[in-house]
């Protein structure tokens, strides 16, 4: 996700603006520099500390809570330490933004550490998780759900929008509330998406087993009350839609392991707010059973259709 997002950001930025890049994969860094040659300056930096020292904006796309804690909070190599070592001149502020889908306690811990920083008055932390998957990242059509301090959002959000518009749809950048709200919106969206992935796969598998034409069945569903993003934008039946993971062996897309992770995050959020849920537990069990089989492990989450289709009733 981060690679195509960064490529679109480089493409959209002014050619005089330097883009700093950092990743644990050195091959990806070398490839990025080569592929963006001529679009504007690109410089590799070793860690978040160096990036935050040099840049007025730092955007991260990290895989999990442990990575976020390390990249932001490490006293030697972290973003907050780097920002503190090189604060901007007033009234400018450094903007730091995490775009991954990370557990709320970790996002709030970074927000708290930012507020406690000696340079807190010149430092703004925003959570802006994305939806749209690798295809949306590639096409710059991502949706962003932004959480930022309400007391400064009038100044911060337009700045955030101007950057995210290079990587997503301008109409799909939403101010969701305070820091952490963007993450809650994202988790709830993915909770629903995970469940509909299984539900749509079950429905289409029933049709295929009954001898119905899956393309025609999809067309009818999409013109009727059963329509959802899975049936219309990422159909799980191979051959029904071109350019989607199911039509290329379920490669690419949103891996089933990540889908299960965010479904579990949704369940945790529900418990924390006292919301009753019914469909999350059986859906998670289905994902776990599919992931236990090497034929489906590591594939796009819509591989649950193939798992259902090849399973005995």
């Amino acid at each position: 996700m981060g690679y195509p997002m960064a490529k679109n950001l480089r493409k959209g930025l002014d050619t005089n603006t330097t883009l700093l890049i950092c990743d644990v994969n050195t091959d990806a860094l070398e490839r990025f520099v080569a592929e963006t040659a001529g679009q504007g300056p690109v410089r590799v930096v070793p860690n978040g500390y160096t990036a935050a020292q040099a840049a007025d904006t730092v955007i991260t796309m990290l895989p999990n809570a442990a990575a976020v804690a390390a990249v932001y909070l490490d006293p030697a190599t972290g973003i907050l330490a780097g920002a503190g070592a090189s604060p901007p001149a007033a009234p400018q502020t450094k903007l730091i933004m995490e775009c991954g889908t990370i557990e709320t306690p970790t996002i709030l811990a970074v927000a708290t550490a930012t507020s406690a920083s000696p340079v807190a008055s010149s430092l703004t932390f925003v959570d802006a998780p994305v939806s749209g998957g690798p295809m949306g990242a590639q096409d710059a059509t991502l949706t962003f759900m932004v959480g930022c301090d309400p007391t400064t959002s009038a100044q911060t959000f337009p700045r955030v929008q101007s950057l995210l518009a290079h990587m997503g749809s301008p109409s799909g950048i939403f101010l969701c509330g305070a820091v952490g709200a963007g993450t809650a919106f994202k988790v709830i969206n993915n909770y629903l998406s995970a469940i509909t992935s299984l539900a749509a796969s079950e429905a289409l598998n029933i049709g295929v087993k009954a001898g119905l034409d899956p393309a025609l069945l999809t067309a009818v569903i999409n013109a009727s009350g059963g329509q959802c993003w899975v049936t219309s934008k990422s159909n799980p039946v191979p051959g029904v839609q071109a350019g989607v993971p199911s039509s290329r062996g379920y490669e690419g897309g949103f891996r089933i392991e990540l889908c299960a992770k965010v479904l579990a995050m949704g369940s945790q959020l529900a418990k924390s707010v006292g919301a009753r849920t019914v469909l999350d537990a059986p859906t998670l069990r289905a994902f776990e059973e599919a992931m236990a089989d090497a034929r489906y492990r590591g594939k796009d989450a819509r591989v649950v259709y193939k798992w259902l289709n090849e399973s005995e009733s």
Side-chain angles (χ1 to χ4, degrees):
M1 291 283 289
Y3 190 93
M5 289 170 64
K7 285 189 69 176
N8 286 324
L9 181 60
R10 175 62 280 175
K11 189 185 303 180
L13 290 172
D14 185 276
T15 54
N16 294 319
T17 300
T18 298
L19 180 66
L20 308 178
I21 57 172
C22 181
D23 198 278
V24 295
N25 185 334
T26 55
D27 290 341
L29 293 173
E30 292 173 3
R31 189 170 78 252
F32 186 95
V33 171
E35 291 179 356
T36 58
Q39 295 179 8
V42 174
R43 181 157 62 93
V44 176
V45 293
N47 50 47
Y49 185 101
T50 306
Q53 269 193 312
D56 59 4
T57 302
V58 179
I59 302 172
T60 58
M61 185 69 176
L62 296 166
N64 53 50
V68 169
V71 169
Y72 278 86
L73 305 180
D74 189 286
T77 62
I79 288 171
L80 293 186
S86 180
Q92 297 299 314
T93 62
K94 285 185 186 284
L95 175 64
I96 54 177
M97 178 172 16
E98 165 56 24
C99 294
T101 304
I102 306 299
E103 289 83 347
T104 299
T106 301
I107 293 296
L108 296 180
V110 174
T112 299
T114 302
S115 298
S117 168
V119 295
S121 62
S122 60
L123 192 59
T124 301
F125 175 64
V126 168
D127 67 313
V130 307
S131 180
M135 290 182 290
Q138 184 77 36
D139 298 337
T141 57
L142 293 170
T143 297
F144 289 88
M145 290 149 272
V146 179
C148 64
D149 184 347
T151 65
T152 60
S153 62
Q155 296 77 40
T156 302
F157 186 59
R159 182 177 170 186
V160 169
Q161 280 182 302
S162 68
L163 292 164
L164 299 184
H166 298 307
M167 300 177 282
S169 168
S171 62
I173 303 170
F174 297 95
L175 178 57
C176 299
V179 175
T183 296
F185 272 67
K186 163 66 173 175
V187 167
I188 292 167
N189 173 74
N190 278 54
Y191 177 94
L192 179 59
S193 176
I195 291 171
T196 56
S197 291
L198 180 60
S201 295
E202 285 188 354
L204 289 166
N205 186 52
I206 292 169
V208 168
K209 293 288 189 180
L212 306 180
D213 177 354
L216 179 57
L217 178 57
T218 294
V220 171
I221 288 172
N222 286 341
S224 308
Q227 186 274 337
C228 64
W229 185 87
V230 177
T231 59
S232 62
K233 300 294 185 181
S234 189
N235 197 280
V237 182
V240 170
Q241 290 175 342
V244 301
S246 64
S247 293
R248 52 174 186 265
Y250 299 95
E251 296 296 336
F254 191 53
R255 288 192 297 114
I256 189 170
E257 290 82 3
L258 294 176
C259 193
K261 171 193 167 185
V262 293
L263 175 59
M265 289 170 65
S267 297
Q268 292 165 3
L269 177 61
K271 290 177 183 176
S272 72
V273 300
R276 183 188 177 194
T277 59
V278 175
L279 299 176
D280 52 338
T283 303
L284 188 56
R285 285 197 299 272
F287 285 146
E288 288 171 345
E289 185 176 334
M291 289 186 296
D293 191 316
R295 292 175 295 173
Y296 316 115
R297 193 180 306 134
K299 304 289 189 179
D300 175 74
R302 266 57 65 174
V303 77
V304 291
Y305 167 80
K306 189 172 189 288
W307 166 71
L308 289 165
N309 187 261
E310 294 174 350
S311 300
E312 295 182 2
S313 61

